[in-house]
């Protein structure tokens, strides 16, 4: 049934029998036969088909969701069996929240590839909640996240600490104040923030709660880079990871505001979904645990 599921998933994602046939190097009638056999085994139609489109119906959505998990588990099972006789190699699906994924992970993967060239990593970057959910559903081998999330049956290991700081543009009035400020002094400022579900947004909300402030002026962005550019343009201030600010602080494009009680600490966690790990996953986790980049913010 695994080939039926693979073909079904491809049809669902490409919304086309012909494109699925091209993907699997087979004829369109062969694809149709696989789908028909799957529908007979499931006992329900899974696709709405017209001359213009192919779409999942309600039953198809259920099968698609679980098919993705089944195929991911099948791939993991095969990798584990292969590892019994082979060195670290093969696919490794990595998920990371934006801060870690955009500003730290690339150099760690470069290290991984240099030491283990036969490992084939793929990276998904999203907010903390999304990455945790993908690991939970076996669509990612490992996630690197920060903040709170629905751990469920996930295996969670704290492995690194980040430092959050408040920054402004170089010519912002706050950047010229030499004395230490209190967080409450910043309540009336415009804050450039991430969406709910991100670890960075959670850290900001926690900071506000700790200091009893409720800013009302917000601008929202879905990743760190446009936040930095907005702050640099003078649109407001933000609480961001020191890891994400190294270039801008070094070049003088952004200024760290001297605020009592900061930097604000937070932890990064490794999340996995099974104690059975491929060699590729084992060596990657070892690299995460021992990487010197994660022990310093210099």
């Amino acid at each position: 049934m695994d080939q039926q599921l693979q073909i079904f998933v491809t049809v669902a994602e490409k919304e086309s029998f012909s494109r699925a046939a091209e993907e699997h190097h087979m004829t369109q009638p062969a694809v149709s036969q696989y789908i028909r056999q799957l529908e007979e085994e499931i006992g329900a139609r899974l696709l709405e088909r017209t001359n213009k489109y192919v779409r999942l119906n309600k039953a198809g959505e259920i099968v698609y969701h679980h098919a993705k998990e089944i195929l991911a588990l099948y791939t993991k099972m095969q990798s584990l069996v292969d590892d019994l006789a082979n060195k670290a190699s093969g696919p490794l699906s990595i998920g990371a929240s934006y801060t870690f994924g955009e500003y730290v992970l690339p150099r760690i993967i470069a290290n991984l590839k240099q030491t283990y060239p036969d490992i084939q990593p793929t990276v998904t970057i999203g907010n903390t909640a999304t990455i945790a959910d993908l690991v939970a559903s076996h669509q990612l081998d490992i996630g690197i996240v920060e903040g709170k999330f629905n751990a469920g049956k996930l295996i969670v290991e704290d492995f690194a600490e980040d430092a959050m700081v408040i920054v402004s543009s170089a010519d912002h009035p706050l950047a010229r104040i030499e004395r230490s400020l209190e967080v409450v002094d910043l309540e009336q400022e415009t804050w450039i923030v991430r969406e709910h579900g991100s670890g960075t947004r959670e850290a900001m909300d926690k900071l506000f709660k700790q200091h009893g402030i409720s800013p009302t002026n917000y601008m929202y962005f879905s990743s760190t880079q446009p936040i930095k550019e907005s702050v640099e343009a003078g649109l407001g201030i933000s609480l961001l990871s020191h890891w994400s600010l190294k270039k801008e602080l070094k070049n003088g494009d952004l200024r760290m505001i001297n605020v009592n009680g900061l930097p604000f600490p937070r932890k990064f966690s490794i999340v996995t979904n099974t104690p059975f790990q491929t060699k590729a996953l084992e060596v990657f986790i070892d690299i995460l645990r021992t990487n010197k980049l994660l022990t310093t913010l210099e």
Side-chain angles (χ1 to χ4, degrees):
M1 180 182 281
D2 60 297
Q3 189 170 12
Q4 293 174 359
L5 291 178
Q6 287 174 346
I7 293 170
F8 169 72
V9 166
T10 305
V11 171
E13 292 179 344
K14 294 187 175 296
E15 299 182 341
S16 167
F17 278 72
S18 60
R19 287 196 290 271
E22 294 174 3
E23 179 79 13
H24 290 280
H25 306 289
M26 60 177 59
T27 64
Q28 187 169 329
V31 170
S32 298
Q33 179 64 22
Y34 275 110
I35 298 299
R36 188 159 48 249
Q37 290 172 351
L38 179 62
E39 289 179 327
E40 289 174 358
E41 292 184 23
I42 296 294
R45 290 185 64 84
L46 305 176
L47 298 166
E48 299 295 335
R49 287 164 273 194
T50 71
N51 292 332
K52 295 183 178 180
Y53 64 80
V54 177
R55 295 176 185 169
L56 294 171
N57 58 22
K58 289 293 184 181
E61 290 175 359
I62 294 171
V63 173
Y64 173 78
H65 174 77
H66 288 86
K68 293 282 285 186
E69 290 193 30
I70 291 167
L71 292 172
L73 284 169
Y74 182 85
T75 300
K76 184 176 291 185
M77 176 192 72
Q78 189 63 56
S79 296
L80 287 165
V81 173
D82 292 343
D83 277 352
L84 295 175
N86 300 316
K87 61 182 180 179
S89 62
L92 176 64
S93 55
I94 304 165
S97 55
Y98 283 97
T99 298
F100 197 94
E102 292 179 337
Y103 299 101
V104 184
L105 187 58
R107 279 180 283 176
I108 293 177
I109 290 181
N111 185 0
L112 174 75
K113 288 295 292 181
Q114 184 175 13
T115 310
Y116 301 97
D118 293 329
I119 293 178
Q120 302 151 13
T122 58
V123 176
T124 298
I125 296 177
N127 67 33
T128 289
T130 297
I131 296 302
D133 286 346
L134 289 172
V135 175
S137 63
H138 302 280
Q139 294 183 57
L140 292 173
D141 296 319
I142 183 172
I144 304 159
V145 296
E146 77 275 359
K148 293 181 181 179
F149 53 91
N150 182 17
K153 296 182 179 180
L154 292 173
I155 300 168
V156 182
E157 174 190 343
D158 292 339
F159 77 106
E161 190 169 279
D162 189 11
M164 307 287 289
V165 297
I166 296 176
V167 290
S168 70
S169 63
D171 57 358
H172 194 285
L174 290 172
R176 296 192 289 271
I177 299 177
E178 296 184 2
R179 65 180 175 85
S180 295
L181 300 172
E182 300 296 333
V183 175
V184 70
D185 295 330
L186 309 177
E187 187 170 20
Q188 302 305 315
E189 298 294 327
T190 297
W191 287 84
I192 317 295
V193 302
R194 286 283 308 280
E195 78 287 1
H196 288 291
S198 79
T200 298
R201 176 61 181 272
E202 182 193 330
M204 182 176 288
D205 290 343
K206 186 175 181 180
L207 178 70
F208 293 164
K209 185 176 181 180
Q210 283 183 357
H211 291 268
I213 68 170
S214 301
T216 57
N217 300 317
Y218 288 105
M219 290 184 65
Y220 299 89
F221 289 94
S222 60
S223 67
T224 299
Q225 192 59 38
I227 290 179
K228 292 195 298 182
E229 292 177 3
S230 297
V231 172
E232 185 178 341
L235 294 178
I237 63 176
S238 189
L239 179 76
L240 293 172
S241 164
H242 194 284
W243 279 336
S244 70
L245 297 165
K246 288 182 177 181
K247 289 183 180 179
E248 289 81 7
L249 293 175
K250 182 178 179 181
N251 296 335
D253 299 322
L254 295 177
R255 294 284 179 85
M256 196 185 312
I257 301 173
N258 188 9
V259 179
N260 288 327
L262 270 69
F264 184 80
R266 66 172 176 177
K267 293 187 180 297
F268 277 90
S269 303
I270 296 168
V271 292
T272 53
N273 198 20
T274 173
F276 302 105
Q277 298 176 352
T278 65
K279 287 186 179 179
L281 180 54
E282 285 179 357
V283 299
F284 178 67
I285 291 176
D286 285 341
I287 289 174
L288 287 176
R289 289 170 177 158
T290 60
N291 199 292
K292 292 181 180 179
L293 177 66
L294 303 179
T295 61
T296 178
L297 291 173
E298 296 300 327

